[in-house]
Amino acid sequence: MAMYLLYESSSGYGLFEAHGLDEIGQNTEAVRSSVTDLSRFGRVVQLTAFHPFESALDALNQVNAVSEGVMTDELRSFLELNLPKVKEGKKPKFSLGTSEPKLGSHILEATKIPCQSNEFVLELLRGVRLHFDRFIKDLKPGDLEKSQLGLAHSYSRAKVKFNVNRVDNMVIQAIFLLDTLDKDINSFAMRVREWYSWHFPELVKIVNDNYLYARVSKMIEDKSKLSEEHIPMLTEVLGDEDKAREVVEAGKASMGQDLSPLDLINVQTFAKKVMDLADYRKKLYDYLVAKMSDIAPNLAALIGDMVGARLISHAGSLTNLAKCPSSTLQILGAEKALFRALKTKGNTPKYGLIFHSSFIGRASSKNKGRIARYLANKCSIASRIDCFADGATTAFGEKLREQVEERLEFYDKGVAPRKNVDVMKEVIENLQNKDEEGKEAVEASGKKSKKKKAKGEEEETVAEEKSEKKKKRKVETEEENEKSEKKKKKKSKSGGDDESDDGQTQSKKKSKKKKSKSEE
């Protein structure tokens, strides 16, 4: 039984025929020993046909198809052209060896060509790969290496390339920056309070919020200049007129020391920096919420944007989080406590980062572990949906959140919750109905546009007919005008002739009269 080998190189497809396999006895050890020696290997394996790729893009598309186990049209035509034809009802007398079992099964389904992929075939293909440049005579030295390097770069670049809108690395960086900004803003605001309290110590008790304190200190500057005119401005900042009046009155009777203008400028500059950092922190939080709605909408809808982002950050990526079982996700962030408990043989922790969720805080002390386990289960489902689903939707996350709410009611009041299977079926049906409604709306809009086009075409035809009729009428009127003018001209000519005839007869009569008179 003849055997052919399909080799996918960086420069094209190669088809090789293996001879004398019975002598080797299809022994992998014998093949391994003969692979390194070209003289021995060349007797067994010979090149049958070679199909070069048209361009680097074509090579990338072909290799992507091979890696996914798909036979392209070019590969099919190449095999059907160079392999013996397979007759229907008869067993083929040859087989095709491939390196990819998925590709072999696809070739068998599409062309009925029997394929095999085993250790023996892989060893033969290894020998082909080793001596490939010797089989192809037209290859220049270095061409094969260049094509391999270029294809490897483009293939790896295409595999590494992610959707720009779903890069979870941005979420990881944003949540790290948010945490550091919270610490820095807190420490800087405390420094502003301590620094400005030397000048206006009573303001600390009136304004408790750090951001508002920085804004008020920036607005007041020197406490000795406070007056009734500052009350509207302070009311805008504090949102309370009574507090604004209290600040003004405290400034008049303040026990703080006076500061030089240079010291006040430094305090105001630092307060302005703290305000800018707080404003940037708000913008960064909005950015994080927007990115979470793109990357993990269901996880964000279930557990919140901040907790979801921290879970993704701690796992390393959304894919890693999706691979984690719910038991790992439950204690994610409490690794030290877990290993300490294992070492001391104590109680293991019940929750990690998911403790910051509002669900665990609402549960009673005896049900915190239960709800943490249930919430971790739902978070695992949501992260897998976000990671592997094609379209982004919050429908699953909202339903999973409803399930957690029902579980809390079950622990408190004993109300039986719905089953997860029924809830997921309901979500899928709702999504399918929405898709159908969207398709119907698109079809309706398409029909409307077609009707509008048809009406427009009818109106155009009617307008063209009207314009043609007008043109015909104009032509007819012009012809009638021309005819009437011609008739008038003819009449005028005929009238001139009659007048000339009358004149001639009158002149003749006069001459006759004259002649008769002369004769008399």
Side-chain angles (χ1 to χ4, degrees):
M1 186 176 182
M3 174 179 276
Y4 292 88
L5 301 171
L6 176 64
Y7 175 63
E8 309 91 5
S9 70
S10 58
S11 55
Y13 290 119
L15 188 65
F16 296 83
E17 186 178 0
H19 299 281
L21 295 179
D22 295 333
E23 297 176 5
I24 300 175
Q26 294 193 2
N27 190 358
T28 55
E29 294 295 333
V31 174
R32 286 195 187 100
S33 61
S34 64
V35 157
T36 54
D37 189 3
L38 179 61
S39 60
R40 292 180 63 191
F41 189 75
R43 296 172 193 166
V44 178
V45 178
Q46 293 180 356
L47 179 66
T48 303
F50 180 70
H51 176 70
F53 296 136
E54 296 178 357
S55 61
L57 182 61
D58 183 33
L60 178 61
N61 294 332
Q62 297 294 331
V63 170
N64 280 328
V66 169
S67 64
E68 292 171 4
V70 178
M71 180 180 61
T72 59
D73 296 334
E74 291 85 352
L75 179 58
R76 179 170 185 167
S77 59
F78 173 67
L79 293 176
E80 289 178 349
L81 184 64
N82 296 290
L83 286 175
K85 293 183 179 179
V86 179
K87 296 180 180 179
E88 294 183 0
K90 290 186 178 180
K91 189 177 180 181
K93 296 181 180 180
F94 68 95
S95 64
L96 179 67
T98 60
S99 58
E100 295 289 335
K102 290 182 180 178
L103 180 64
S105 61
H106 191 208
I107 292 172
L108 178 62
E109 290 176 4
T111 61
K112 305 300 180 183
I113 295 172
C115 300
Q116 57 177 332
S117 178
N118 48 36
E119 290 185 5
F120 178 71
V121 171
L122 292 177
E123 287 297 328
L124 288 175
L125 287 172
R126 188 170 69 88
V128 170
R129 189 184 304 111
L130 183 63
H131 305 293
F132 184 71
D133 54 344
R134 308 286 181 86
F135 287 110
I136 309 299
K137 296 179 181 179
D138 296 334
L139 280 177
K140 296 178 183 179
D143 285 352
L144 188 62
E145 287 78 7
K146 288 179 183 178
S147 63
Q148 286 174 348
L149 185 63
L151 182 59
H153 282 188
S154 57
Y155 179 76
S156 59
R157 197 180 298 116
K159 286 293 181 185
V160 170
K161 190 184 293 183
F162 294 108
N163 186 359
V164 179
N165 297 322
R166 299 191 67 179
V167 178
D168 49 6
N169 188 35
M170 299 299 107
V171 170
I172 297 170
Q173 300 300 326
I175 194 66
F176 272 131
L177 186 55
L178 269 176
D179 292 337
T180 53
L181 276 177
D182 288 336
K183 294 177 183 177
D184 293 342
I185 290 170
N186 192 25
S187 59
F188 291 161
M190 294 303 295
R191 183 60 54 194
V192 171
R193 281 172 173 269
E194 188 176 349
W195 199 350
Y196 195 69
S197 292
W198 288 98
H199 178 63
F200 194 178
E202 292 82 7
L203 188 63
V204 176
K205 295 180 180 179
I206 300 170
V207 182
N208 296 320
D209 187 70
N210 291 333
Y211 180 68
L212 290 179
Y213 186 91
R215 287 188 66 183
V216 171
S217 62
K218 177 77 172 60
M219 185 181 295
I220 293 172
E221 294 183 358
D222 193 356
K223 66 177 181 181
S224 61
K225 296 179 182 178
L226 273 175
S227 62
E228 298 292 331
E229 296 176 355
H230 290 82
I231 291 177
M233 300 168 63
L234 290 169
T235 306
E236 286 184 7
V237 176
L238 297 172
D240 189 0
E241 189 176 352
D242 296 335
K243 273 192 176 182
R245 291 186 182 278
E246 191 178 351
V247 169
V248 173
E249 291 174 0
K252 291 177 181 178
S254 177
M255 298 293 291
Q257 65 181 12
D258 294 332
L259 295 179
S260 65
L262 183 61
D263 294 336
L264 281 173
I265 288 171
N266 280 309
V267 173
Q268 304 309 315
T269 305
F270 189 56
K272 181 70 169 61
K273 295 291 184 185
V274 174
M275 290 163 56
D276 293 340
L277 278 175
D279 293 335
Y280 175 65
R281 198 260 179 206
K282 291 178 182 176
K283 293 179 182 177
L284 187 64
Y285 176 74
D286 295 336
Y287 166 75
L288 178 64
V289 170
K291 292 300 290 183
M292 282 296 291
S293 64
D294 290 336
I295 296 166
N298 293 296
L299 186 63
L302 170 62
I303 204 170
D305 298 300
M306 295 292 289
V307 182
R310 283 197 171 89
L311 286 172
I312 293 172
S313 174
H314 198 83
S317 67
L318 181 62
T319 308
N320 292 344
L321 184 65
K323 290 177 182 177
C324 289
S326 59
S327 58
T328 305
L329 196 148
Q330 181 181 349
I331 58 170
L332 208 62
E335 288 84 3
K336 286 185 180 179
L338 173 66
F339 291 121
R340 192 189 309 118
L342 293 175
K343 187 176 181 180
T344 59
K345 296 181 181 179
N347 294 328
T348 55
K350 297 176 183 178
Y351 26 69
L353 289 170
I354 60 172
F355 176 76
H356 299 286
S357 173
S358 61
F359 295 113
I360 295 175
R362 286 160 54 192
S364 59
S365 58
K366 67 176 183 179
N367 293 325
K368 283 186 184 295
R370 291 179 180 179
I371 201 67
R373 185 167 61 251
Y374 190 78
L375 182 60
N377 183 13
K378 298 304 172 188
C379 287
S380 180
I381 294 172
S383 61
R384 288 167 189 174
I385 292 171
D386 290 329
C387 183
F388 301 111
D390 294 330
T393 176
T394 58
F396 291 98
E398 291 168 358
K399 290 294 181 182
L400 291 171
R401 188 180 182 85
E402 289 178 7
Q403 281 186 283
V404 180
E405 296 280 358
E406 291 174 2
R407 182 64 60 163
L408 277 172
E409 288 185 2
F410 172 69
Y411 289 146
D412 293 340
K413 301 175 183 177
V415 180
R418 292 175 293 173
K419 289 185 178 180
N420 187 53
V421 178
D422 300 333
V423 175
M424 293 296 109
K425 283 182 180 179
E426 183 182 348
V427 176
I428 292 169
E429 287 175 0
N430 292 335
L431 290 175
Q432 289 176 352
N433 293 332
K434 285 183 180 179
D435 292 338
E436 290 176 359
E437 288 175 1
K439 288 179 181 179
E440 289 176 359
V442 170
E443 289 176 357
S445 62
K447 288 179 181 178
K448 285 181 181 179
S449 61
K450 286 180 181 180
K451 286 181 180 178
K452 286 181 180 179
K453 287 181 181 179
K455 285 182 180 179
E457 290 175 356
E458 288 178 0
E459 289 175 357
E460 287 177 0
T461 53
V462 170
E464 288 176 358
E465 289 176 358
K466 287 181 179 178
S467 62
E468 287 177 358
K469 287 179 181 178
K470 286 181 180 179
K471 287 179 182 179
K472 286 181 180 179
R473 286 176 185 174
K474 284 182 180 180
V475 172
E476 289 175 357
T477 52
E478 289 176 357
E479 289 177 354
E480 288 176 358
N481 292 331
E482 288 178 358
K483 287 179 181 179
S484 61
E485 287 177 358
K486 286 179 181 179
K487 286 180 181 179
K488 285 179 182 179
K489 287 180 181 179
K490 285 181 180 179
K491 285 180 181 179
S492 63
K493 285 181 181 180
S494 62
D497 294 339
D498 294 338
E499 288 175 357
S500 61
D501 292 339
D502 292 337
Q504 287 177 0
T505 52
Q506 286 177 2
S507 62
K508 283 180 180 181
K509 287 178 180 179
K510 285 180 181 179
S511 63
K512 284 181 180 180
K513 284 180 181 180
K514 285 180 181 181
K515 283 182 181 180
S516 63
K517 283 181 181 181
S518 63
E519 285 177 355
E520 288 177 358

